[in-house]
Each structure stands twice: as structure tokens, then as C-alpha cells.
Amino acid sequence: MTSTPQLAPNWRLWLVWGVSVAAYIVSVTNRTSLSAVGADAAVRFDADASTLSMFAVIQLFVYGAMQIPVGLLLDRFGARPIVTAGMALMATGQLVMALSTDVGTAIIARVLLGAGDAAIFPSVLRVVATWFPQQRAPLMVQLTGIVGQTGQLLALLPMAALLHATSWTVAFGSLAGLGVLFTILTFAIVRNHPPSSDADVSVNTETGAIAVVRSSADLRQGFRESWGHPGTRLAFWSHFTTPFAGTAFVMLWGFPFLTAGEGLTPAMASLVLSAFVVFGMLVGPVMGALSSRHPLRRSRMLVLPTIAIQAVVWLVVISWPGPAPLWLLFALALALATGGPASMIAFDHARTHNPSHRLSTATGIVNGGGFIAGLIAIFLIGLAMDLQGAGTPETYSLEAFRLAFLTQVPLWILGAALIMLERRRTRVRMGLDEPRTRRRDRRTPDPDEQSSQSP
């Protein structure tokens, strides 16, 4: 449970949120900047499928690894310095990428990009938590995710068009310049909390204490308490399992699968990927409303069905004889698009089960889940392509892609099983379910045995 932020003037609240979300749009554009230019990257760096995967895997690994440190720093210092530093790192990473001509330099660029990107979304969630009333938070989180995903549209057609009209250096240099602009804007406009509040505080309903994060000991304790709550672990596995298939598809492997595998033109493949983004924006408000109305049924009503839909549609596409019809590829985009809004439900879990003085720590733990799964999926797909001898654009084939995308199935099974386990534990912790007793404890004692033990 968290305290309700004191309200700021309406114009200032929306200005701070608007600049924060615009920074998130830029970060998503940076994150997915290779999605429509993967073939150009393969040519520029003379990269096979594993190397191309490595760019995305390293970026996502750094993103995931930085989530807990970023959460701890947010709980200590607030959103303003963290989001500003994140934008500066991304701008530096894209400048290095613009000038890079070899794989080693490009990897350094993706490391910087991943580290900067890691700071943005948790910072925006921190802004939502401290500037908006608690009852509006689920809607604002979904709205933040929906608006932010428009950055993927910028990374598709406009980015590819700019690169092909100019050069690699100009295209990625432009993203670096955009990052510099938002480094200045976030520092100038974003504030940690409304002017009517002196600090980010909350009442911990388990202890009754009013808490403010002031020391590293508070941070270490916050991490232990956050992960120790089954609600946080439920949120982690929800975020781990729902978005990774869409992440792997839109960040790297969707475009080559649709063009080299399914035989679509680049324009039609871009349309399918754009439909993925638009579908996600349409589904988000529906999931946000259902999550708010049915807080005790989020996993069974929304999260687990989302996982099932993604798995089933992917398996239909994989098993289709010959190239899949266009309507089925759009159905795949729709199914994968549900993963992003469903993953936002994880932050509702985190907010529900953590007081605000450790909210960003819990958010960092949860946000890392989806990107850890995403990097695993991207790496396994690339590895499977190489093992089949289809590691370069010249050797890509539909059959190789089909087998490679099957590597996602174990991740869905693992995540769904742990969601059900942690859901049960969370409901027990909340007093909604009775804890399971051991079989021998449930066994009815034998009357003769009882009488023989009586004094």
C-alpha cells in the first residue's frame, strides 16, 4: 500500500508526465532502432545471425542487469537525476553506434544504450507513483506504456527511410541528437515529487512506520523485503512470461522472418510490425480497465490467457503448410501485441504489494524479468538459426525460422508454472486462501492410536 501523493497544479502535473513519457518514446525508439535495419547492420558489420542476435542480447542483458541498481537509486535519489543520466547515456551510445564500423565498437554502443534505456521506464513509473493519486495509477501506467510504444513506429519506417535516404552515420547520429535534446528537457522540467511534498514518503501498513529512503542500508533492506514478498515474485514472473515473444519479434527477428521466411515485401512486413504496435495500443486500455476492476483475478483472467493465446497462434503459424496467409500473420501480430499490455499488469502487482519507499526497487526487479526473458529468446532463436546453417540473410529459410521460434515454448511453460505457484503463495499471504497442509497433517488420526496414547 502506498500513500496518495498531494496533488500538483494540473498543468504542471501533465507537463512533468508529458516530458517523461516523451523521453520514454525516445528510449523505445533507441531500443528498437535495429528492428527495421537488421539487414543493413548485417552488411555493415559483416555479421551472421548469432552476432546480430548478440547486439540485441547484450543490450537487453545490460538493461535487465541494471534494473535493480536503477530501482535502488530511484528509491534513494528520485526520478529527475536518474532519467537525465539515462538520456545522456543513450545519446552517447547512439553516437558511438553512428561512428562504429566494427562489431567491437557496436557492442560498446549497445552496452551504453542498454544502460541508459534501463533508467527511463522505471523513472517514468516513479513519476506516476509520486505525482498521481493512487486510484489513477493503473490507468496512467497503461497509458504510459501505450504512448511509449509509439517509439516502435518511429524505429520502423522513418528510421529505415532515413538510413536509406542518407547514411548509417546520419541516421544514428540523428537519434543521438534527439537524446541530447531530451537530456536537457528532462533535467529542466522533471521533478522528483510535487512542490507541496518535501519527500517521497509512505506508510508501511505492515509496520505502521512512515518511511523515507535515506541510506544504503535502507536500500539493501528494501531489496530483501521486495523479493521476499510473493506478490513481487508473481509480478516478476508475469513480466518475464508475457512480453518476451513480442520483444524478440519486434526488436530483431520479426522483419527477417516476414521477408526472408514468409516472402513478404519490406513494405508489407513493416505494415505487420506496425500493426503489432497499433494493436498493443488498442488492447492496453481494455487490459488496464479489467485489471482495475478485477484486482484479485488478474493472473487467471488476463496474464495466463495472454500467454496461451501467444503460444497457440505461434504454433499455428509454425505448423502451417507453406507460407502463412497474410491474415494469419496479422493474427500473430495481434496475439503478440497482447503481451505488452499484459506485462503492465505486473506493475499493478508490484504497486499493490510494496510500500512506496521501496516501490522503485520492486519495479526494477519486475521490469528486469521481461527483458531477461527477451534476451534469452533472442539468443536462442539466433543460435537455432546458426545450428541449422541459416545464419546469414542469404541462407535464411522458412523451415529454419519455424524450428528456431519453437525455442520460445519452454520459456512459456516455465513462466506459466511459476506464475501459478507465486499466485497461490500471494493469495495465502493476503489471507484469501488457506495454506496447504502436509498430507500426514491432513490424515485423520486412528481412534485406537489416539486411545493408546491417552494417559
Side-chain angles (χ1 to χ4, degrees):
M1 297 291 293
T2 59
S3 62
T4 300
Q6 299 183 39
L7 294 180
N10 224 25
W11 67 267
R12 185 162 189 177
L13 182 152
W14 290 108
L15 177 64
V16 170
W17 180 79
V19 170
S20 301
V21 171
Y24 180 44
I25 293 172
V26 173
S27 78
V28 173
T29 303
N30 280 279
R31 180 192 307 164
T32 55
S33 55
L34 285 181
S35 59
V37 297
D40 301 271
V43 172
R44 182 177 179 87
F45 301 112
D46 191 24
D48 60 14
S50 293
T51 304
L52 204 57
S53 290
M54 186 169 61
F55 289 154
V57 166
I58 288 174
Q59 178 185 336
L60 290 178
F61 174 80
V62 173
Y63 185 107
M66 288 293 294
Q67 284 306 299
I68 293 173
V70 164
L72 295 172
L73 291 170
L74 278 168
D75 279 334
R76 180 73 184 275
F77 298 110
R80 183 194 187 198
I82 307 305
V83 71
T84 301
M87 294 306 304
L89 278 173
M90 279 198 295
T92 304
Q94 290 294 33
L95 180 61
V96 173
M97 194 69 177
L99 301 175
S100 62
T101 56
D102 59 272
V103 170
T105 307
I107 287 174
I108 294 172
R110 304 314 280 185
V111 168
L112 292 170
L113 193 63
D117 187 17
I120 307 304
F121 185 59
S123 296
V124 179
L125 292 185
R126 183 77 180 186
V127 168
V128 170
T130 54
W131 282 78
F132 285 89
Q134 183 180 356
Q135 63 270 23
R136 292 170 65 183
L139 176 61
M140 294 309 302
V141 168
Q142 284 288 349
L143 186 59
T144 297
I146 291 167
V147 176
Q149 292 314 302
T150 58
Q152 295 184 38
L153 296 176
L154 297 177
L156 291 171
L157 292 175
M159 181 64 183
L162 180 61
L163 188 150
H164 295 146
T166 57
S167 66
W168 180 277
T169 301
V170 171
F172 283 89
S174 299
L175 288 178
L178 197 60
V180 171
L181 172 63
F182 274 89
T183 301
I184 298 169
L185 281 176
T186 52
F187 182 78
I189 295 175
V190 175
R191 292 295 182 269
N192 289 349
H193 46 73
S196 55
S197 301
D198 295 327
D200 301 342
V201 301
S202 73
V203 178
N204 187 335
T205 55
E206 294 184 358
T207 65
I210 298 176
V212 181
V213 176
R214 297 188 185 280
S215 68
S216 58
D218 291 336
L219 300 179
R220 291 193 298 271
Q221 181 180 354
F223 173 78
R224 289 194 299 268
E225 291 177 350
S226 293
W227 182 252
H229 198 295
T232 303
R233 299 195 298 273
L234 171 62
F236 175 88
W237 290 112
S238 297
H239 201 265
F240 179 96
T241 317
T242 48
F244 74 80
T247 299
F249 193 77
V250 77
M251 279 197 70
L252 189 62
W253 289 117
F255 198 84
F257 166 72
L258 294 171
T259 53
E262 294 289 347
L264 299 186
T265 63
M268 186 57 69
S270 295
L271 183 61
V272 173
L273 291 175
S274 299
F276 167 89
V277 179
V278 174
F279 287 154
M281 295 171 67
L282 296 175
V283 170
V286 178
M287 286 213 179
L290 291 173
S291 177
S292 297
R293 293 178 184 178
H294 305 281
L296 301 180
R297 301 172 63 188
R298 289 167 177 160
S299 297
R300 285 190 174 179
M301 177 184 289
L302 300 172
V303 175
L304 293 172
T306 295
I307 297 167
I309 289 169
Q310 292 182 76
V312 168
V313 177
W314 246 131
L315 291 174
V316 171
V317 172
I318 289 170
S319 61
W320 195 271
L326 190 59
W327 67 264
L328 182 55
L329 296 176
F330 275 104
L332 175 64
L334 174 58
L336 296 180
T338 62
S343 72
M344 294 294 167
I345 294 169
F347 300 111
D348 293 339
H349 288 308
R351 188 175 53 255
T352 299
H353 300 293
N354 288 274
S356 64
H357 61 270
R358 68 170 193 243
L359 177 60
S360 292
T361 300
T363 298
I365 293 171
V366 172
N367 201 31
F371 290 90
I372 291 171
L375 74 87
I376 293 172
I378 289 172
F379 173 74
L380 290 177
I381 292 167
L383 179 62
M385 293 291 287
D386 279 344
L387 291 176
Q388 297 175 83
T392 60
E394 295 78 18
T395 57
Y396 289 163
S397 69
L398 181 56
E399 290 304 317
F401 275 117
R402 284 172 167 173
L403 291 175
F405 280 115
L406 282 174
T407 58
Q408 299 173 111
V409 174
L411 295 178
W412 281 315
I413 294 173
L414 172 67
L418 288 168
I419 287 170
M420 290 187 286
L421 175 64
E422 296 299 347
R423 178 183 184 273
R424 169 71 183 174
R425 290 174 174 172
T426 302
R427 289 179 64 84
V428 170
R429 175 75 173 261
M430 296 172 67
L432 299 174
D433 289 342
E434 292 294 328
R436 292 179 180 173
T437 56
R438 296 180 181 178
R439 181 174 298 178
R440 60 184 173 184
D441 294 336
R442 295 197 303 264
R443 189 178 60 189
T444 303
D446 185 272
D448 294 334
E449 189 177 316
Q450 277 188 313
S451 62
S452 66
Q453 294 176 357
S454 301

